[in-house]
Amino acid sequence: LHELAHETAGGRWVVTGGGGYELVRVVPRAWTHLIAEVSGHPLDPETETPPGWRRFVTERTGETAPLTLTDGRKPEFRDFSAGYDPADPIDRAIMATRKAIFPFHGLDPLP
């Protein structure tokens, strides 16, 4: 999106987010990556999470916080235009959203 903003909107873009999802494993790392990208300083996916934050997570939640920003996995993007994969939970979530919400806004009429 950062590159697209420079290609189409003079580098201007609006960053928004949601909430209510996984507060230990997802939110802090996703927002860290997002803010780093927006500021023009993307982070290496193998960057370690701060030890103080990991201690805080354990003290407050009893959970073990992630050690790195991506758990040692390579971030990947699979274009949805390649087709719907009913075995993929993300594809199922996308389709459920499209079916439940998009028609209310006159978007994406599904057959």
Side-chain angles (χ1 to χ4, degrees):
L1 289 177
H2 193 166
E3 290 175 19
L4 183 62
H6 284 280
E7 291 173 20
T8 62
R12 296 179 309 265
W13 58 322
V14 176
V15 178
T16 63
Y21 40 87
E22 175 50 63
L23 292 175
V24 171
R25 302 200 69 76
V26 177
V27 174
R29 297 186 298 171
W31 276 99
T32 297
H33 276 297
L34 179 63
I35 292 168
E37 180 67 36
V38 168
S39 71
H41 300 91
L43 295 170
D44 182 332
E46 295 304 314
T47 300
E48 288 190 12
T49 55
W53 175 75
R54 292 194 306 260
R55 283 191 302 276
F56 176 78
V57 165
T58 300
E59 291 167 7
R60 293 292 295 255
T61 68
E63 294 184 48
T64 300
L67 296 176
T68 64
L69 291 179
T70 55
D71 296 326
R73 293 187 301 254
K74 181 181 181 223
E76 296 178 323
F77 169 75
R78 184 180 67 83
D79 191 330
F80 195 68
S81 68
Y84 170 65
D85 177 1
D88 184 331
I90 294 173
D91 282 6
R92 289 194 309 268
I94 290 169
M95 290 304 286
T97 300
R98 288 171 74 171
K99 289 179 181 178
I101 303 300
F102 283 22
F104 289 115
H105 300 285
L107 301 171
D108 195 40
L110 294 174

